[in-house]
């Protein structure tokens, strides 16, 4: 038994934060942001809008594309670092929104690599015949944990959600998937607070994402090149067989470095970083859906997903679409 991607969907909030807007907020420039990151604008939630709202819309689009109802699912798995609440988990909240009942729902947190982690878990559950069909989502509202007075981070992040429906199949859709983590560099990229440390510690202040970008950059490039090759090797395939690289959209220069390493022309890389910024675990399923809906990604093509994020966590998946 294998699993394959049956359909995709994504959603971004209406509000757009441009580089020009950020020029009014911190000491930066459109030129600096575009040349160092490739980002022109990002979508962010408005007051009252939440990650669950974004996940719901992405899920509805994926269900509609597959012509399925929420009750046709056996699992909802949401990867996120910005859940609406600690519990019920985001999967359960989403199931209730969609009008589903009874099947397993959970969320997992693996920072920007969360979608690959979720894909790996759902794929294993399908392969071991625990379930037949899963809704796998990456959804984030990073704007809620971004410091808009810190120019080194606030230019990067955006909000959005992307969804795929995975289904059991006789022929392989997911050919190989690899996930890794190492806490050695946990202080290079993190969000400092959490429930168990107690709210008193904050003394009424808010915490924000902390990142030593330059150091993250260097580790990310090396690690992603290795994981891409590892995932291809596991399926006995080579980079020249790839139709598309669908990378985590953290920085255009990181993506270019990986494409160069794989000897893949940039025309075969799906880029949404210009319009979406870095949406953490949402970025791969969002980019995938964009390229599926505009007709670039076609059935039967070979896709490589790869992601790297806080922890560090990282992972990659090779998919026959
Ligand atoms: O998604 C999870 C994984 N995350 C990533 O992979 C992010 C990886 N890191 C990055 O994408 C990049 O490191 C950044 C885009 C965050 C920063 O780019 P960089 O080329 O590594 O810049 P830098 O941190 O080395 O800073 C270079 C200079 C510094 O000034 P000095 O010290 O050389 O005078 C910064 O203060 O650029 C300055 N700077 C800025 N200038 C204008 C930093 N942020 C800004 C800014 N506007 N927004």
């Amino acid at each position: 038994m294998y699993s394959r991607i049956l359909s995709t969907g994504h959603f971004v909030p209406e509000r757009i934060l441009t580089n020009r807007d950020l020029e009014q907020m911190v000491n930066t420039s459109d030129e600096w942001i575009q040349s160092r990151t490739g980002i022109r604008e990002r979508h962010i939630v408005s007051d009252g809008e939440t990650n669950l709202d974004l996940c719901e819309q992405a899920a509805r689009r994926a269900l509609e594309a597959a012509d399925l109802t929420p009750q046709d699912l056996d699992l909802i798995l949401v990867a996120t670092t910005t859940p609406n609440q600690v519990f019920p988990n985001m999967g359960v909240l989403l199931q209730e929104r969609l009008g589903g009942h009874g099947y397993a729902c959970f969320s997992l947190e693996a920072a920007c690599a969360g979608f690959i982690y979720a894909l790996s878990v759902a794929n294993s559950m399908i392969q071991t015949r625990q379930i037949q069909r899963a809704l796998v989502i990456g959804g984030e509202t990073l704007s809620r944990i971004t410091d808009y007075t810190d120019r080194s981070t606030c230019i990067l992040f955006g909000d959005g959600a992307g969804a795929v429906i995975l289904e059991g199949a006789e022929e392989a859709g997911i050919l190989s998937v690899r996930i890794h983590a190492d806490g050695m560099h946990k202080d290079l990229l993190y969000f400092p607070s959490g429930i168990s440390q107690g709210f008193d510690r904050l003394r009424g202040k808010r915490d924000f994402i902390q990142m030593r970008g330059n150091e993250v950059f260097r580790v990310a490039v090396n690690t992603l090149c290795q994981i891409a090759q590892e995932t291809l090797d596991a399926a006995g395939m080579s980079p020249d067989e790839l139709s598309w690289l669908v990378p985590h959209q953290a920085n255009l220069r990181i993506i270019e470095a990986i494409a160069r390493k794989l000897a893949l022309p940039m025309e075969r890389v799906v880029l949404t970083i210009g319009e979406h910024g870095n949406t953490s675990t949402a970025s791969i399923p969002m980019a995938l859906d964009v390229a599926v809906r505009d007709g670039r990604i076609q059935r039967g093509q070979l896709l490589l997903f790869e992601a790297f994020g806080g922890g560090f966590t990282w992972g990659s998946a090779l998919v026959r679409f």
Side-chain angles (χ1 to χ4, degrees):
M1 177 61 83
Y2 297 98
S3 74
R4 70 177 190 112
I5 295 178
L6 195 57
S7 68
T8 62
H10 90 279
F11 185 78
V12 287
E14 205 178 303
R15 184 172 165 202
I16 292 174
L17 184 68
T18 64
N19 290 350
R20 295 276 177 222
D21 295 331
L22 285 161
E23 285 177 351
Q24 311 303 311
M25 298 159 69
V26 287
N27 181 14
T28 192
S29 66
D30 176 46
E31 196 278 327
W32 192 95
I33 301 172
Q34 288 213 41
S35 63
R36 296 293 180 113
T37 70
I39 302 170
R40 293 187 302 279
E41 60 188 33
R42 67 288 291 143
H43 293 251
I44 63 167
V45 285
S46 303
D47 289 348
E49 198 174 20
T50 70
N51 192 1
L52 185 58
D53 300 323
L54 310 184
C55 290
E56 180 188 349
Q57 295 309 322
R60 288 193 186 282
R61 287 172 188 194
L63 284 166
E64 189 182 285
D67 200 18
L68 291 175
T69 72
Q71 213 46 35
D72 295 322
L73 301 170
D74 307 311
L75 170 73
I76 296 179
L77 175 47
V78 180
T80 186
T81 45
T82 48
N84 273 44
Q85 54 196 80
V86 175
F87 67 89
N89 72 64
M90 283 289 280
V92 176
L93 295 175
L94 182 58
Q95 184 197 52
E96 192 273 336
R97 278 277 183 98
L98 296 172
H101 299 279
Y103 50 86
C105 299
F106 64 103
S107 58
L108 66 78
E109 192 278 294
C112 299
F115 179 73
I116 305 284
Y117 269 66
L119 207 61
S120 171
V121 172
N123 177 51
S124 299
M125 289 178 74
I126 288 173
Q127 283 190 316
T128 53
R129 297 179 191 267
Q130 291 178 73
I131 57 166
Q132 170 67 16
R133 217 175 267 140
L135 173 63
V136 179
I137 298 209
E140 296 289 6
T141 45
L142 293 179
S143 64
R144 298 275 191 242
I145 54 168
T146 297
D147 180 357
Y148 286 100
T149 65
D150 173 9
R151 71 176 182 172
S152 69
T153 53
C154 73
I155 52 140
L156 297 171
F157 301 115
D159 301 337
V164 302
I165 293 178
L166 276 191
E167 185 180 63
E170 294 297 317
E171 267 183 49
I174 295 184
L175 299 167
S176 61
V177 53
R178 289 288 179 273
I179 50 175
H180 294 275
D182 196 322
M184 189 170 72
H185 296 298
K186 65 183 174 18
D187 299 329
L188 296 187
L189 174 56
Y190 62 101
F191 181 77
S193 56
I195 303 297
S196 190
Q197 296 182 74
F199 293 110
D200 294 349
R201 195 185 64 85
L202 288 170
R203 296 183 199 290
K205 292 201 316 279
R206 281 179 65 191
D207 263 344
F208 299 107
I209 298 173
Q210 308 291 322
M211 180 168 75
R212 304 220 300 261
N214 200 286
E215 290 162 76
V216 175
F217 189 102
R218 275 198 301 265
V219 186
V221 170
N222 288 334
T223 310
L224 285 169
C225 289
Q226 281 168 26
I227 186 80
Q229 196 56 55
E230 182 188 323
T231 309
L232 284 160
D233 288 348
M237 299 220 154
S238 64
D240 58 334
E241 293 176 82
L242 289 175
S243 311
W244 295 99
L245 175 66
V246 188
H248 168 46
Q249 315 276 321
N251 187 312
L252 180 58
R253 290 183 294 140
I254 296 178
I255 298 171
E256 285 172 341
I258 295 152
R260 244 191 330 270
K261 182 84 182 172
L262 295 172
L264 206 64
M266 285 306 285
E267 294 72 39
R268 277 162 51 201
V269 180
V270 179
L271 290 176
T272 52
I273 187 160
E275 313 80 73
H276 291 164
N278 180 348
T279 57
S280 185
T281 193
S283 84
I284 290 174
M286 283 168 59
L288 174 67
D289 186 53
V290 166
V292 167
R293 285 178 194 256
D294 70 20
R296 272 178 293 170
I297 292 181
Q298 301 280 327
R299 283 282 164 206
Q301 289 185 332
L302 194 63
L303 319 177
L304 185 71
F305 306 156
E306 45 81 353
F308 180 89
F312 291 134
T313 55
W314 64 99
S316 174
L318 185 68
V319 175
R320 176 78 63 195
F321 187 67

